[in-house]
Amino acid sequence: MTTYDIDLGGRGPALEARDLSVFYGEKQAVQDVALMVPANQVVALIGPSGCGKSTLLRCFNRMNDLVKGARVQGTVDFHGQDLYGSGVDPVEVRRRIGMVFQKPNPFPKSIYDNVAFGPRVNGFEGDLDGVVEDALRRAALWDEVSDRLDDSAYALSGGQQQRLCIARTLAVRPEIVLMDEPASALDPIATQRIEELIYELKRDYTIVIVTHNMQQAARISDFTAFLYMGNLVEYGPTETIFTNPREDRTEAYVTGRFG
Amino acid sequence: MSGIPNSLGVGESRFDRRRRLYGTLFAWMCGAATLVGVVALAVLLMDVLVDGLGRLDYAFLSSFASRFPERAGVRAALAGSIWLLVLTALIAFPVSVAAAVYLEEYAQKSWITKAIQTNIANLAGVPSIVYGILGLALFVRALGLDRSILSGALTLSLLVMPVIIMASQEAVRAVPQTIREAAYGLGATRWQVVSYQVLPMALPGILTGTILALSRAIGETAPLILVGAVGFVAFTPNGVMDEFTVLPLQIYSWISRPQDEFRELAAAGIIVLLLLLLSMNAVAIVLRNRAQVRR
């Protein structure tokens, strides 16, 4: 196992994975990963298809619990508590560590109900309209939908739907937002809007993002982790990873020689 | 002549002509096969309408069975069928949907759930008279429910539950996994995911399956004879413990009599039964469309 000492610039870790392994049945998808996610930063997970980056991401809010036959070993430290410790409620974990998925997946309900779902299921009492508006503003969608909150979410374009999904996640006030290739199903203009949004969001949230798009990782992230065949090959400040990586495999990947 | 024609359709070889002929023949055969069903239904409807339409009036609907054909009607049988239908739906629907949700959303995939699944599929194929015997032994005798509507409804519930369970499972399975993940990702519990997202999305499919299954139940005769439905009832039921008859049984009892007048009554009874079926299917379509619009 290799650990990388990273200068966090005085920031505390929002998440810290140690000896993290994931198995799907007999197959090991992630091997002994150690990774520290600094607070209020954007961490990109990159690597070729099937390298385990999405699986790793899904460890951070116990989404792998939903996959039959998946088994997680190791620890993920969150405010001094292990996410996989006994007595930890995965439902509470997911409320505090939200997730945005690859394909926009709004509920077949109105725009308003999509955003209000999270607060509702978490027993929110108070100004629900205010929470919905705030979340839509943070996701830079309010101006486009404020006059048609009762319309079906399916009436929105793909890019708008994805921002709605981000708003939906923000409405439960998470500390960390996990994003699994959030722009891969979108056109370049919608992608750009999502990237700008991520830049805005890191003031208030810690973001971990999986991406296939190297330029995207270079543009939006502060730290980059390169995974290959289930192993964390290299982790460090994005600039270092892209300009002066320590490992040959990292350099080969970021320069597009494989993957 | 060369093997490959040099212009379109001109200079066709024997091979070309033959395969074109086969294509045409095949299309005609399939068309004829489709017609079998349509023609059979048309003949059936015509025959029944010619025989029964003359007898179909308000008096027929509001009169009880009688040994004088001119005074006989389907009041008891129609009431019995509707009672039975509603009661069966009330029993079978919640139990079946709950079973389907458990199997799809809660149960771990193990050999036990596989065995249960196989059994449900097998139960759907068990002949209805076997359910009648079970109903007789279990509800009529062992539980002492006698020859009541409740006995009949419980028996029919057992009969339709496998079908509703399988249709509901299908509908629940058709809800995209991404919707579940989105809901779980927002901190919803399993109960919240199922009740807020999965069930509303699966509801149209569940309703369709339920109504199709109930349509089958409404035409059942054999199991109801065994649990004691009788062909001659001169009152409408007032409660679930009353004796009862149903339309198919009334029709059967009329058609087995020698007089032509009773055969006309049977035809009129069939029209009533068909109308009941058609209106159920209409309700199914309306419910399904309404559930889909809300998306």
Side-chain angles (χ1 to χ4, degrees):
Chain A
M1 192 184 78
T2 342
T3 1
Y4 291 92
D5 298 320
I6 296 167
D7 179 15
L8 298 176
R11 288 181 192 85
L15 272 181
E16 188 171 3
R18 290 191 205 97
D19 298 331
L20 196 66
S21 294
V22 185
F23 301 84
Y24 290 129
E26 294 296 300
K27 191 178 165 288
Q28 186 162 8
V30 170
Q31 269 175 25
D32 296 328
V33 165
L35 184 79
M36 183 187 285
V37 177
N40 293 95
Q41 298 284 289
V42 178
V43 172
L45 306 181
I46 61 169
S49 298
C51 70
K53 54 194 189 303
S54 285
T55 302
L56 178 62
L57 186 77
R58 293 164 67 97
C59 287
F60 295 152
N61 70 343
R62 296 198 52 172
M63 228 38 186
N64 284 325
D65 290 19
L66 305 177
V67 180
K68 294 213 167 72
R71 193 158 50 83
V72 178
Q73 272 175 10
T75 61
V76 179
D77 191 276
F78 177 63
H79 293 298
Q81 236 189 325
D82 178 16
L83 292 184
Y84 288 90
S86 63
V88 170
D89 181 7
V91 172
E92 182 60 19
V93 169
R94 295 185 199 120
R95 197 193 64 69
R96 298 185 54 186
I97 305 175
M99 191 162 206
V100 176
F101 298 85
Q102 186 170 0
K103 268 165 74 188
N105 56 351
F107 300 126
K109 295 177 189 292
S110 72
I111 294 168
Y112 184 95
D113 285 341
N114 262 277
V115 183
F117 177 80
R120 276 180 184 146
V121 297
N122 287 294
F124 176 81
E125 284 169 10
D127 180 17
L128 193 57
D129 291 0
V131 171
V132 170
E133 178 176 344
D134 177 62
L136 286 168
R137 281 192 192 281
R138 283 166 184 264
L141 189 61
W142 175 254
D143 294 339
E144 290 158 66
V145 300
S146 60
D147 57 341
R148 50 179 179 136
L149 294 175
D150 291 331
D151 284 10
S152 166
Y154 286 2
L156 299 174
S157 73
Q160 289 174 322
Q161 284 187 12
Q162 193 62 302
R163 276 181 281 143
L164 177 66
C165 291
I166 293 173
R168 184 174 68 180
T169 303
L170 300 182
V172 293
R173 310 234 157 105
E175 293 163 45
I176 302 173
V177 179
L178 309 175
M179 297 186 169
D180 191 356
E181 302 188 47
S184 66
L186 305 178
D187 66 60
I189 293 172
T191 300
Q192 195 192 343
R193 299 212 55 171
I194 299 280
E195 288 184 9
E196 287 164 4
L197 182 58
I198 290 169
Y199 189 79
E200 289 290 312
L201 290 176
K202 78 174 187 183
R203 270 188 316 190
D204 299 317
Y205 308 89
T206 303
I207 293 169
V208 185
I209 180 169
V210 164
T211 179
H212 250 115
N213 182 329
M214 235 93 63
Q215 287 78 22
Q216 188 173 62
R219 279 194 301 265
I220 62 175
S221 69
D222 303 296
F223 294 90
T224 297
F226 170 59
L227 282 97
Y228 184 63
M229 292 178 57
N231 291 295
L232 178 62
V233 175
E234 188 163 357
Y235 180 46
T238 299
E239 211 184 305
T240 313
I241 296 288
F242 278 90
T243 54
N244 189 22
R246 276 194 250 175
E247 301 277 335
D248 293 341
R249 279 180 298 177
T250 313
E251 190 180 5
Y253 185 72
V254 296
T255 52
R257 270 189 278 134
F258 85 103
Chain B
M1 214 190 281
S2 74
I4 302 166
N6 49 14
S7 62
L8 298 172
V10 182
E12 254 188 358
S13 67
R14 240 166 74 191
F15 173 77
D16 281 330
R17 273 199 302 278
R18 209 168 55 201
R19 65 176 181 175
R20 189 180 296 231
L21 179 71
Y22 284 165
T24 315
L25 273 177
F26 184 69
W28 276 99
M29 264 166 51
C30 293
T34 314
L35 275 182
V36 172
V38 179
V39 169
L41 181 66
V43 170
L44 173 79
L45 279 179
M46 281 305 291
D47 187 48
V48 169
L49 285 176
V50 166
D51 283 351
L53 213 49
R55 287 304 314 261
L56 195 64
D57 51 17
Y58 180 70
F60 179 72
L61 292 177
S62 61
S63 307
F64 291 110
S66 163
R67 34 199 187 97
F68 308 106
E70 61 278 7
R71 275 199 251 150
V74 287
R75 182 164 172 186
L78 183 59
S81 275
I82 292 173
W83 267 87
L84 202 63
L85 190 68
V86 171
L87 210 54
T88 304
L90 288 178
I91 297 166
F93 182 75
V95 178
S96 307
V97 173
V101 166
Y102 178 76
L103 285 172
E104 287 302 314
E105 300 288 320
Y106 287 85
Q108 298 288 322
K109 298 284 175 239
S110 66
W111 67 269
I112 301 178
T113 44
K114 254 184 210 153
I116 293 175
Q117 194 71 64
T118 313
N119 271 310
I120 291 172
N122 283 335
L123 279 177
V126 170
S128 59
I129 191 133
V130 178
Y131 283 100
I133 296 168
L134 175 66
L136 177 65
L138 184 60
F139 303 126
V140 179
R141 298 273 160 76
L143 295 180
L145 295 176
D146 269 343
R147 316 167 137 209
S148 61
I149 301 179
L150 189 57
S151 291
L154 286 168
T155 307
L156 284 189
S157 294
L158 289 183
L159 180 79
V160 295
M161 268 174 13
V163 183
I164 304 181
I165 291 174
M166 288 199 293
S168 305
Q169 279 186 284
E170 199 70 45
V172 167
R173 222 176 293 145
V175 174
Q177 190 61 23
T178 56
I179 293 290
R180 288 186 187 85
E181 288 188 335
Y184 280 120
L186 293 166
T189 61
R190 197 183 290 252
W191 152 246
Q192 288 171 326
V193 174
V194 169
S195 60
Y196 286 80
Q197 303 296 345
V198 176
L199 276 183
M201 283 184 87
L203 200 59
I206 293 175
L207 286 177
T208 310
T210 304
I211 303 227
L212 285 178
L214 288 175
S215 304
R216 185 187 158 195
I218 202 177
E220 279 297 343
T221 324
L224 295 176
I225 295 178
L226 282 178
V227 297
V230 276
F232 191 96
V233 174
F235 55 86
T236 48
N238 287 314
V240 295
M241 296 309 290
D242 282 353
E243 282 193 2
F244 68 106
T245 188
V246 290
L247 282 168
L249 201 55
Q250 184 70 67
I251 293 163
Y252 176 73
S253 122
W254 276 331
I255 217 150
S256 52
R257 297 189 182 210
Q259 297 97 320
D260 275 346
E261 291 90 335
F262 279 110
R263 231 166 280 156
E264 285 169 15
L265 283 177
I270 290 170
I271 297 174
V272 174
L273 183 58
L274 285 177
L275 285 176
L276 192 60
L277 261 172
L278 285 179
S279 41
M280 276 176 65
N281 285 341
V283 170
I285 292 169
V286 170
L287 282 177
R288 192 172 52 205
N289 289 348
R290 276 199 20 209
Q292 272 167 347
V293 165
R294 266 192 236 121
R295 289 191 176 194

